Amino acid sequence: MSVPASAVAAGTIDAASTPVGRLLPAMFISNVSAFIGLLTPLQVLMTLQLTRIAGPSAAAAFGIITGFGALAALVASPLGGRISDRTAARFGRRRTWILTGAIGGAIAVFAMTGATEVWQMALLWCAIQALFNFQLAATSALMADQVPQRRRGTASGLLGLSAAVGPLVGVAAVSAVSDPFLQWVVTAVAAAFLAVVAVLLLRDKQHTPVAGGSRFSLLELAKSFWVNPWRHPAFGWAWLVRFLVFCAVASSTYNAFFLMDRFGITAEAVPPTVLVVTLINVAALALTSVVAGPLSDRLQRQKPFAAGAGIAAAAALTLMAIASEMWLVYAAAALLGVAIGLVGSVDLALCVRVLPNRESAGKDLGVINMAGLLPQSIVPFVAPAFIALGGYSALYIALGITALLGALAVARIPEVGRENELRFAQITRGIPVDA
């Protein structure tokens, strides 16, 4: 499939862009690679390893480790985007960091096999989060670099689907082997292999520094973590929507502990049980994504899908809060899959639409990604307090409220084609993003 000459002439995509028939699968595969490396340990492997290492203190240790790991991701995501914006390697500014992040992350995952102390797991988890988030930041930037506007809903849906397919593949793979050492090895190899496939599919132009542009300095690095929401209000509201909805999505990191606590599931039975829950979640997510993404492109509407995601997530967490039988857990997993599918079908496309500057897309999308990463840090830190106050029900109800607030915040973002209406937050361009 060749790049249309009209699209090149219009400046919507670059002449050196990857054909869409290869670009979208490459982005999907790259994200699946990263999520195998990130979410398989998060959902299964770390719980099991901490149970062996820390015993009764495993849940508390898990919260500390994941909290620090999310802080590492919080730093790495915008920093990775900023660095990939400025990378002048002949291999390509995005491909370089997709491959480097994945291979480095896979090595850190493998190193987890030798961790025998909580502090060792914490250090390695921070490295895993940082490296795979470099990969995710570079992959997300391809949306602004190469995906035409008319295909961004479809692309966003595929990338949202990858967040569920990644752990599904990973959990299925580790469930097939019983040896803890091999479970970590399988995860590392799968993440590295898929990243290699992704970069082989991609074309990626070399970054050419702008004459007279600012040098890459400590100040430039500091600017990687900020886009002024008062000067760029639509960007600020898009950031808030993602943050609030992803607080609800972060509840899934406690599924293994929840199942052991409420239903008495043994450590040996956790991987297959989590696999069933994940399969249901992914089936609902996949069905929603493949319908909602293209439908969003066809209707040129994004806000109903984003608001619906918040409402569905709140309903899912309400079911988890009251669940006394496993069928309610399965129903909640399906509803949460619908929520993730809805937000995934439009979220990235919506965020790209409100970006202040295409040339700093990697950095700005890294700031957006912080909204999805902060919940991974905040939720584990606050979860023990809610669990102590009212058990897992209190935690799920609190997170459900954040999802509803996210649905309300969507109202401030302009819809496609209505960007200039003053009653919505304005999309501003041409103003320095760090101002």
Side-chain angles (χ1 to χ4, degrees):
M1 179 177 177
S2 61
V3 177
S6 59
V8 175
T12 54
I13 49 178
D14 190 270
S17 294
T18 312
V20 173
R22 282 168 43 193
L23 174 63
L24 298 189
M27 293 172 67
F28 175 77
I29 291 169
S30 177
N31 265 27
V32 168
S33 158
F35 286 126
I36 286 174
L38 287 170
L39 297 183
T40 307
L42 198 62
Q43 292 188 1
V44 177
L45 298 184
M46 287 205 302
T47 298
L48 299 179
Q49 187 146 333
L50 282 169
T51 301
R52 293 189 294 269
I53 291 173
S57 301
F62 180 83
I64 293 170
I65 290 172
T66 55
F68 279 113
L71 288 175
L74 193 66
V75 173
S77 184
L79 189 59
R82 187 77 156 192
I83 291 173
S84 74
D85 285 338
R86 297 296 194 92
T87 295
R90 293 184 64 184
F91 193 65
R93 59 178 182 167
R94 311 303 184 194
R95 290 207 311 168
T96 296
W97 293 105
I98 289 173
L99 189 61
T100 301
I103 298 300
I107 292 171
V109 168
F110 176 76
M112 275 284 200
T113 59
T116 57
E117 301 287 343
V118 171
W119 68 267
Q120 294 171 350
M121 291 186 65
L123 288 176
L124 286 170
W125 184 242
C126 286
I128 290 167
Q129 282 278 16
L131 289 160
F132 281 120
N133 272 282
F134 261 66
Q135 178 186 3
L136 288 171
T139 304
S140 295
L142 290 168
M143 177 78 85
D145 289 351
Q146 299 193 30
V147 179
Q149 171 70 41
R150 61 184 176 81
R151 300 297 297 274
R152 285 179 180 167
T154 301
S156 188
L158 276 175
L159 296 187
L161 177 61
S162 69
V165 172
L168 174 62
V169 172
V171 171
V174 301
S175 296
V177 294
S178 57
D179 184 79
F181 174 84
L182 289 179
Q183 289 176 332
W184 286 103
V185 171
V186 166
T187 303
V189 170
F193 173 76
L194 289 175
V196 171
V197 173
V199 298
L200 290 175
L201 289 172
L202 285 170
R203 294 178 188 167
D204 187 20
K205 68 177 182 179
Q206 183 178 359
H207 170 65
T208 304
V210 178
S214 61
R215 299 181 63 184
F216 203 44
S217 62
L218 290 177
L219 179 60
E220 283 291 299
L221 290 180
K223 289 179 178 179
S224 300
F225 305 100
W226 176 249
V227 173
N228 192 321
W230 288 272
R231 289 186 177 271
H232 306 283
F235 183 95
W237 281 102
W239 192 99
L240 182 63
V241 168
R242 176 180 276 213
F243 171 77
L244 292 170
V245 174
F246 272 72
C247 279
V249 174
S251 64
S252 63
T253 60
Y254 274 83
N255 282 350
F257 288 112
F258 168 73
L259 292 170
M260 288 191 290
D261 178 81
R262 184 167 293 186
F263 296 98
I265 294 174
T266 64
E268 293 75 16
V270 165
T273 306
V274 171
L275 177 60
V276 173
V277 173
T278 305
L279 281 168
I280 293 170
N281 180 271
V282 170
L285 190 160
L287 181 61
T288 305
S289 293
V290 298
V291 173
L295 183 62
S296 170
D297 282 339
R298 180 180 292 273
L299 298 177
Q300 287 294 287
R301 293 290 181 271
Q302 296 170 341
K303 291 172 63 172
F305 299 92
I311 294 169
L317 291 176
T318 300
L319 281 181
M320 288 292 281
I322 65 172
S324 57
E325 298 181 23
M326 281 301 299
W327 72 268
L328 286 171
V329 175
Y330 298 146
L335 261 177
L336 193 60
V338 170
I340 299 171
L342 285 172
V343 74
S345 67
V346 298
D347 179 64
L348 189 55
L350 185 154
C351 291
V352 168
R353 185 164 58 87
V354 301
L355 287 180
N357 188 342
R358 183 182 174 188
E359 288 305 309
S360 62
K363 174 264 199 191
D364 296 340
L365 284 171
V367 173
I368 285 285
N369 286 341
M370 290 170 68
L373 295 168
L374 267 173
Q376 296 179 30
S377 178
I378 292 172
V379 170
F381 275 128
V382 303
F386 282 102
I387 293 170
L389 286 172
Y392 285 95
S393 295
L395 174 64
Y396 291 137
I397 289 170
L399 295 178
I401 291 171
T402 69
L404 286 177
L405 292 174
L408 292 173
V410 172
R412 293 293 299 135
I413 302 172
E415 185 58 273
V416 176
R418 303 176 67 180
E419 289 84 357
N420 295 322
E421 294 187 19
L422 295 179
R423 62 197 182 100
F424 299 120
Q426 295 299 292
I427 300 174
T428 53
R429 296 189 174 94
I431 301 172
V433 296
D434 309 307

